[in-house]
Amino acid sequence: MAVSKELSRFTRDALVAGRSREEIAQALGASGWSGPEVKDALNAWSETPFSPPIPKPQSTVSARDFFFYTLTFGLMAFGAGFLIQIFFVLIERMMGEDLYGYAGDLRSSISVLIVVVPLFLWLTVRDQRALAADPAQYRSAIRRWLTYLALLVTSVILLADLIVVINALLMGALTLTFLLKAGIVAIVTGLIFGYYLGDIRKGDTA
Amino acid sequence: MNKLYLGILICLVAVAVVGGLLVAGGPGYARMEKEDRARGDHLHELGRYYACTVDGQERVQKGCSGMAQMPAAPAPTQEAEYLFARTGETAFEVCTSFKTDWAKSSGYYGSDIYFDGQRGCIRYKRAALDGDWVPQ
C-alpha cells in the first residue's frame, strides 16, 4: 500500500523526535489511520537506532523495466500458447485423429517457437545476470507486478484445467486424448508457475 | 530449482519442435505438399474441362462458360502427367501422380479424388436424369 506524503513525513519527524514505534502507532491509530496504513508507514523506515531514521529501499519504476519485462513476459505467454498448441496437434496425431490442415498449424507454431524461445532465453539469462550483479533490481515494481500477474494467470489456467477435467469426468466425456491435453496444459503452466514462484521467493530473500 | 524448471521447459520446446518437424515434415516436404495441392486443384480444373468438352463443343451445361480451352498446369507442376481416360460410355477419369500423402490424408479434397497409392483420379459420370457430367 502506498503511504501518503503527510503520513510518511509525520512518521519520520516522530522517529527523529525519539518517539517509540508503539507510541507513534498508538497516536496514528487514535487519529483515525488504519492498522495497515500505520504498519506500512512504520515499515518504510529501518529499525535501527541510527538518527535520522534510514528509509528502507523502495520499489522502482522505469521505462526501461517496462519495455524489458513486458517483452520478456509477453514472449513467455506467447511461446507457452504455441508450445501447448504443438503438443495438442501431436497428441491428436498420436491418437490417430484425422486433422485438416494440421501440418500448416504445426509449421506456424514451430516458426513462432524458433523465434520466441531463444529471445526469451536471452532476455531471461540477461535479467538473471543483472539481478545477480545488483539484487536491488528485484525491487523493480514492474517486474514484481508482471511476475505476480504471471502467477495469477497460470494459477487460473491450472484451476480451470482441473475443473475442465473433473467436468469431463462427470459428463462421461473423459478420453485419453482429453487427459493428455489437460496434462500438457498442467505441465507447461505448472512449470511457468513454479519458475516465477521461485523467482519471487528469491527476490524476497535478496 | 528455477534453473530446473527452465531446463524442463526448454526440453519440452525441443521435443515439440523436433516432434512437430517429424510429423509435419521439413521444408522440402512442405514444398512437395504445396505442389500436390496445385496438382490436385489442376486435376479438378481438368475434370471440369473434360466434362464440358468430352462430348464435343455442342455440349452446354452449367459451369461450362469459358471452358473451351484446356487449362494450363500451374507452376511448378507442369512436368506432372495428367492422364485422361474414358472408363465407359458414361464415365471418364483424369489421373495424376502425387508426391506426398498430403492430398490423401489431409481431407482437403474430401472424397473428390480417388487414390490408388500415389496415383489420384477424379472421376465423372453422366447423370441419367439430365445427361450432365457430374463428379463421382
Side-chain angles (χ1 to χ4, degrees):
Chain A
M1 190 189 297
V3 180
S4 82
K5 275 184 182 172
E6 289 77 15
L7 181 58
S8 176
R9 198 175 301 132
F10 168 81
T11 310
R12 183 184 174 280
D13 292 347
L15 287 168
V16 168
R19 299 288 190 171
S20 72
R21 287 177 175 256
E22 290 71 28
E23 279 179 310
I24 298 168
Q26 212 169 15
L28 287 172
S31 301
W33 293 97
S34 71
E37 282 173 317
V38 173
K39 194 178 163 198
D40 285 344
L42 288 168
N43 280 345
W45 303 96
S46 185
E47 287 187 55
T48 52
F50 192 86
S51 189
I54 305 165
K56 280 188 182 170
Q58 298 294 308
S59 296
T60 58
V61 176
S62 73
R64 178 206 162 273
D65 283 359
F66 176 77
F67 167 76
F68 186 85
Y69 291 118
T70 309
L71 182 63
T72 309
F73 281 80
L75 289 173
M76 181 270 297
F78 201 54
F82 281 95
L83 177 64
I84 289 172
Q85 192 177 322
I86 290 180
F87 274 108
F88 275 16
V89 176
L90 291 179
I91 288 167
E92 284 168 5
R93 285 290 296 169
M94 201 173 73
M95 302 311 284
E97 289 185 16
D98 280 337
L99 299 168
Y100 169 69
Y102 75 90
D105 289 346
L106 274 179
R107 288 185 187 118
S108 305
S109 303
I110 290 169
S111 309
V112 170
L113 288 190
I114 286 172
V115 173
V116 161
V117 172
L119 185 56
F120 169 75
L121 275 180
W122 179 68
L123 290 172
T124 303
V125 169
R126 197 171 173 270
D127 183 42
Q128 292 301 321
R129 281 184 187 159
L131 288 168
D134 177 16
Q137 291 192 25
Y138 275 112
R139 287 197 294 275
S140 163
I142 290 169
R143 187 178 195 282
R144 285 185 76 81
W145 270 92
L146 286 173
T147 306
Y148 275 110
L149 184 67
L151 288 176
L152 173 71
V153 171
T154 47
S155 314
V156 169
I157 292 172
L158 282 169
L159 289 173
D161 196 41
L162 186 62
I163 290 168
V164 166
V165 169
I166 292 170
N167 187 49
L169 177 71
L170 295 176
M171 302 281 278
L174 196 62
T175 60
L176 184 57
T177 307
F178 192 94
L179 216 60
L180 288 171
K181 284 182 177 179
I184 201 70
V185 170
I187 289 170
V188 172
T189 48
L191 285 169
I192 294 170
F193 180 87
Y195 176 76
Y196 284 113
L197 187 66
D199 194 65
I200 282 282
R201 286 179 178 160
K202 213 170 152 185
D204 288 344
T205 55
Chain B
M1 198 64 174
N2 265 18
K3 280 182 184 168
L4 177 70
Y5 288 137
L6 202 60
I8 297 172
L9 266 175
I10 301 309
C11 287
L12 279 179
V13 170
V15 168
V17 171
V18 173
L21 283 174
L22 284 175
V23 170
Y29 193 80
R31 202 171 298 118
M32 286 198 289
E33 280 184 356
K34 203 174 164 191
E35 287 173 19
D36 274 354
R37 184 171 174 160
R39 203 168 276 126
D41 289 346
H42 188 54
L43 199 61
H44 272 87
E45 279 185 2
L46 286 177
R48 284 194 295 275
Y49 163 74
Y50 284 116
C52 292
T53 58
V54 69
D55 289 335
Q57 294 300 317
E58 74 277 4
R59 174 110 202 112
V60 178
Q61 76 174 59
K62 199 179 168 189
C64 281
S65 165
M67 278 287 185
Q69 282 215 318
M70 182 185 278
T77 64
Q78 294 96 333
E79 84 290 352
E81 271 195 319
Y82 298 92
L83 301 172
F84 168 82
R86 284 299 287 251
T87 50
E89 273 298 305
T90 60
F92 73 83
E93 67 177 18
V94 190
C95 300
T96 192
S97 288
F98 289 87
K99 287 184 176 176
T100 69
D101 286 336
W102 174 82
K104 195 174 6 180
S105 61
S106 69
Y108 181 72
Y109 295 112
S111 54
D112 291 354
I113 298 178
Y114 293 82
F115 286 95
D116 179 15
Q118 294 303 98
R119 190 166 178 266
C121 299
I122 192 152
R123 292 173 180 160
Y124 274 73
K125 68 175 179 181
R126 195 197 295 273
L129 196 62
D130 55 9
D132 279 356
W133 288 95
V134 289
Q136 269 184 294

